[in-house]
Amino acid sequence: MVLLRNVSNAIWHAFQALHQESEGLVAKTKLKVLTANMASTLDLYGVEKGLEQFSSTSTLNFQHFLDYLQKEVFSSILITKLRDLRQYEEKIEEICWLICRKNFTSTLFKDTQIFYLFRIYCLFSDMNSDGDFSVSLNPEEAVIILQKVTESLGLDCEKDKRITSLNKGHKTFDFQEFINLFVEFKDDKHSLEYDQSMYEVINDIYQTYIKDVVKKGYLLRKGYLLPTFKEYWVVLQPCELSLYKNKNEKELSGVIQLDPQFALRPIHCNSPTKSEKLLKFSLKSGERNIEFATRDHKSRIQWITALQLAITYSAGERGFQRDLIIRRKKKREYEEKMKKDEENIVLKQFEMARSQLEEEKRARKAAEELARVDSRRVAELEDMKENLEKLLEEEIQAKRDEEIVRALQARVLAEEWEKREELEQLQKEQTALYEEEKQKRIEFEQLQKEKEVELSLAEQKLKELEDERIKLDKELKHARFKIIRSEETKEDLESRIDSLLPTLSGASLRRTSSFVMSSSRDRPTIFENQVFDTRRSRIKK
């Protein structure tokens, strides 16, 4: 029933937007359409037909409609993954928005922006079931949203009159009043640039609270085929880690589905480049091991903390932001309960004081009767009466002050214990981080020494190879020069032979040609001699 509880506020808005036959009642024929649309998103069909037999009347109030949805529609849905739950929530709230959006229009915002604000309002608002159902936004939650807006626009939250007025007031907000809060920001600077900024702010709030984005930013990831780190724009949610090529989040490079089986482990290793150092950590689940890296220690701590938080919430029934909202709501309920208890204590003390005053009045009447007998005794009793009344009032006031101080002391003591536990936890984490960094520094220094030795050996070897290459280049140039000289000599000889051919007889010509051929076959080439000399020099070395 988690899905129904999460979308109840949106369903209430759709219920209110339908034409009502009377106050708080909607015809079943119109509720059938809403039920059929919501059921189709859940792959259920025909469940709206049961509305006719659910009640003998032709109309239903919101409580009966919720009971029917819980029994006939949402009870058959089994959702085990937070990602699927978030998709169903978006589809159902979009259906509800299509029904009720005609009641919430604004010329200053686009339809997409109003829909984003509608989902944000449904997430933060509370449903009051006392008497008639209603959905309203607590001013504390409105302050949190507006603080996010002012920070995104570069304004000062503490000096903004809109936020300070909300902190002082105790009025709840409906959705139209919630839209008007954003309209006030646009009225300040109504320009195209400011409109684009407001759109980005609303989209950022939507991503943070509705999409439950825990953290965004650049992160280095090690490749599978090539062991090099590549930078990605990463969007972290409780159920998945999405990697994009750039900040506009249009080209998706990969998605890592998170679950409680993943474990985080920091890794100490140098960056593959000489100009920078990378601080690594791994995300491991079974045999799957994914390595990430950052360029500074602070970023690594932030990413490890955010990833641990996302892994913790990956198997839960509600996201991180919804859990924070529920915690704040429980805290407000607890504070209201404590306030009522304090008021009851003060009321009881007042009743006791009033009973004491009644007793004093009766005692005064008895004293007046006795005073009739003795006038002197009457004067004494009057003085006693005045003193007793003063003492009683002082005692009552002292008891009230004592109870208030005790309540405040108990609250301060509880807060002190919480702060002390948080401080001890932070001290433990700081000590662990210090020891870890100390060990890493020792390992890094050792590794650096080894790398320096290897670098010196490599430089020496490189110098030797460079000398040998220069020597071989010289030998190759010399061999090429000899080959060119041999070719020139050969061409000169052939030209001389051609000039002597007419004067020589046939026998002489044959003897000359055979002599030249035999001499050319028997004599090794200049290049062969050069290769032989090179091999002989290497053997000597």
Side-chain angles (χ1 to χ4, degrees):
M1 301 304 173
V2 178
L3 178 59
L4 178 60
R5 185 169 62 249
N6 292 348
V7 299
S8 295
N9 293 341
I11 295 174
W12 180 87
H13 282 92
F15 186 90
Q16 295 293 332
L18 294 173
H19 178 69
Q20 299 180 356
E21 302 295 335
S22 61
E23 186 66 24
L25 299 175
V26 179
K28 288 182 179 179
T29 55
K30 296 181 179 180
L31 293 178
K32 280 184 178 180
V33 179
L34 176 59
T35 305
N37 287 318
M38 288 192 297
S40 63
T41 62
L42 303 174
D43 295 331
L44 299 175
Y45 302 95
V47 294
E48 72 276 2
K49 298 177 181 178
L51 276 171
E52 294 293 338
Q53 291 79 25
F54 182 70
S55 177
S56 58
T57 60
S58 61
T59 58
L60 291 178
N61 59 20
F62 185 69
Q63 179 63 58
H64 291 163
F65 183 55
L66 276 184
D67 294 340
Y68 178 78
L69 292 177
Q70 180 178 356
K71 181 179 179 182
E72 300 295 336
V73 180
F74 291 91
S75 61
S76 59
I77 302 299
L78 181 61
I79 302 174
T80 58
K81 295 182 179 180
L82 182 62
R83 179 176 59 260
D84 298 336
L85 178 65
R86 190 177 292 120
Q87 292 176 356
Y88 285 134
E89 288 176 7
E90 182 176 1
K91 292 178 181 178
I92 293 174
E93 289 182 350
E94 186 175 0
I95 291 171
C96 297
W97 173 246
L98 291 175
I99 296 174
C100 66
R101 67 178 180 180
K102 61 180 179 294
N103 297 332
F104 307 107
T105 57
S106 176
T107 57
L108 298 178
F109 292 103
K110 298 179 181 179
D111 292 340
T112 304
Q113 295 173 324
I114 301 250
F115 175 61
Y116 284 177
L117 292 177
F118 174 73
R119 294 201 67 194
I120 294 169
Y121 179 83
C122 291
L123 174 65
F124 279 87
S125 57
D126 300 326
M127 179 173 288
N128 304 317
S129 58
D130 297 338
D132 296 334
F133 282 84
S134 63
V135 174
S136 59
L137 181 66
N138 191 279
E140 293 182 5
E141 302 296 332
V143 167
I144 292 174
I145 299 173
L146 293 184
Q147 285 177 346
K148 182 74 173 178
V149 173
T150 54
E151 289 175 359
S152 301
L153 292 175
L155 303 176
D156 191 352
C157 301
E158 297 180 356
K159 297 181 180 179
D160 198 299
K161 296 181 180 179
R162 289 166 290 221
I163 297 178
T164 55
S165 62
L166 289 179
N167 284 324
K168 294 179 181 179
H170 299 282
K171 178 180 176 295
T172 57
F173 300 89
D174 58 19
F175 182 53
Q176 186 60 52
E177 293 171 338
F178 179 68
I179 295 175
N180 293 336
L181 294 176
F182 284 82
V183 171
E184 293 178 3
F185 281 94
K186 293 200 70 173
D187 289 341
D188 292 344
K189 300 178 181 178
H190 189 62
S191 62
L192 293 177
E193 182 179 357
Y194 200 74
D195 291 347
Q196 182 64 25
S197 300
M198 279 300 298
Y199 176 77
E200 293 176 358
V201 168
I202 293 175
N203 184 60
D204 183 54
I205 296 174
Y206 182 81
Q207 292 289 328
T208 301
Y209 294 113
I210 302 300
K211 296 297 184 180
D212 211 5
V213 175
V214 179
K215 184 174 176 58
K216 286 184 179 182
Y218 286 103
L219 190 62
L220 297 166
R221 178 187 174 181
K222 188 177 182 180
Y224 289 107
L225 299 177
L226 298 175
T228 57
F229 283 87
K230 185 177 180 181
E231 190 173 51
Y232 295 93
W233 176 261
V234 178
V235 178
L236 176 62
Q237 295 173 277
C239 54
E240 63 186 18
L241 181 70
S242 303
L243 293 91
Y244 297 89
K245 290 184 178 181
N246 46 43
K247 195 174 182 180
N248 57 18
E249 301 179 11
K250 292 183 179 179
E251 298 184 27
L252 183 65
S253 298
V255 177
I256 301 173
Q257 304 296 338
L258 300 177
D259 57 64
Q261 302 299 325
F262 278 98
L264 288 166
R265 182 188 304 170
I267 302 173
H268 180 74
C269 183
N270 289 336
S271 172
T273 60
K274 297 180 180 179
S275 60
E276 58 181 354
K277 301 176 182 178
L278 296 182
L279 299 176
K280 304 178 183 178
F281 62 93
S282 64
L283 188 64
K284 188 174 182 181
S285 176
E287 297 180 355
R288 188 180 184 187
N289 188 18
I290 307 169
E291 290 190 15
F292 296 96
T294 61
R295 290 188 171 88
D296 57 85
H297 180 69
K298 182 179 179 181
S299 298
R300 182 171 72 166
I301 293 296
Q302 291 176 350
W303 275 109
I304 290 176
T305 304
L307 280 167
Q308 189 62 56
L309 181 66
I311 292 171
T312 303
Y313 280 91
S314 61
E317 294 182 349
R318 59 196 183 200
F320 171 61
Q321 295 296 337
R322 190 178 293 275
D323 185 60
L324 292 180
I325 293 170
I326 292 174
R327 289 183 181 180
R328 289 196 296 267
K329 181 180 178 181
K330 290 182 179 179
K331 182 180 179 181
R332 287 196 300 270
E333 292 175 352
Y334 175 76
E335 290 177 352
E336 290 177 359
K337 183 180 178 182
M338 292 295 295
K339 185 177 180 180
K340 289 181 180 179
D341 292 342
E342 292 177 0
E343 291 177 353
N344 292 332
I345 292 172
V346 173
L347 184 60
K348 289 180 180 179
Q349 293 176 351
F350 179 75
E351 292 294 335
M352 292 175 60
R354 187 170 61 180
S355 63
Q356 291 177 358
L357 287 175
E358 293 293 335
E359 292 178 359
E360 292 296 331
K361 288 180 180 179
R362 290 192 293 269
R364 185 182 61 183
K365 290 181 180 179
E368 288 176 353
E369 292 178 357
L370 293 174
R372 294 174 185 173
V373 180
D374 192 356
S375 59
R376 187 179 62 183
R377 194 172 178 183
V378 169
E380 294 176 356
L381 289 174
E382 288 293 335
D383 295 337
M384 291 175 62
K385 180 195 69 169
E386 292 177 359
N387 293 331
L388 287 173
E389 288 178 352
K390 290 180 180 180
L391 291 174
L392 182 60
E393 290 178 357
E394 292 176 357
E395 183 179 0
I396 292 171
Q397 185 63 34
K399 288 183 178 180
R400 290 177 182 174
D401 296 340
E402 182 181 0
E403 292 296 333
I404 293 172
V405 170
R406 286 181 179 177
L408 292 174
Q409 286 179 345
R411 186 182 303 173
V412 171
L413 184 62
E415 292 178 354
E416 182 181 355
W417 277 107
E418 291 179 359
K419 295 295 183 181
R420 183 175 299 173
E421 291 177 356
E422 293 178 359
L423 180 60
E424 291 177 354
Q425 184 65 26
L426 288 173
Q427 289 177 348
K428 292 180 180 178
E429 293 178 357
Q430 186 177 6
T431 304
L433 288 173
Y434 175 75
E435 294 295 332
E436 183 180 354
E437 289 297 324
K438 184 177 180 181
Q439 183 64 28
K440 289 179 180 179
R441 189 181 297 109
I442 295 172
E443 295 176 358
F444 176 77
E445 291 176 355
Q446 182 67 27
L447 184 59
Q448 187 177 11
K449 291 180 181 179
E450 295 176 357
K451 292 295 181 180
E452 289 176 355
V453 174
E454 292 178 359
L455 180 60
S456 62
L457 294 175
E459 289 177 351
Q460 183 179 359
K461 184 66 178 179
L462 181 61
K463 185 176 181 181
E464 293 175 358
L465 292 175
E466 187 71 22
D467 296 338
E468 185 178 356
R469 183 183 62 80
I470 294 171
K471 183 177 181 181
L472 290 176
D473 287 342
K474 291 180 179 180
E475 293 176 356
L476 180 59
K477 288 180 181 179
H478 184 65
R480 285 179 180 175
F481 177 74
K482 287 182 178 181
I483 290 170
I484 293 170
R485 293 290 302 274
S486 176
E487 291 293 333
E488 291 176 354
T489 305
K490 182 179 178 183
E491 290 177 358
D492 187 21
L493 182 60
E494 287 177 354
S495 62
R496 289 181 182 180
I497 291 171
D498 290 338
S499 63
L500 295 175
L501 284 177
T503 59
L504 293 176
S505 62
S508 301
L509 180 61
R510 283 192 299 270
R511 285 194 303 269
T512 305
S513 62
S514 62
F515 173 75
V516 172
M517 292 297 292
S518 62
S519 62
S520 62
R521 284 195 303 268
D522 296 337
R523 186 177 64 252
T525 63
I526 298 174
F527 182 73
E528 290 175 350
N529 292 333
Q530 183 66 32
V531 172
F532 178 75
D533 293 339
T534 304
R535 291 180 178 176
R536 185 174 56 187
S537 63
R538 288 184 178 179
I539 291 171
K540 288 181 178 182
K541 289 181 179 181

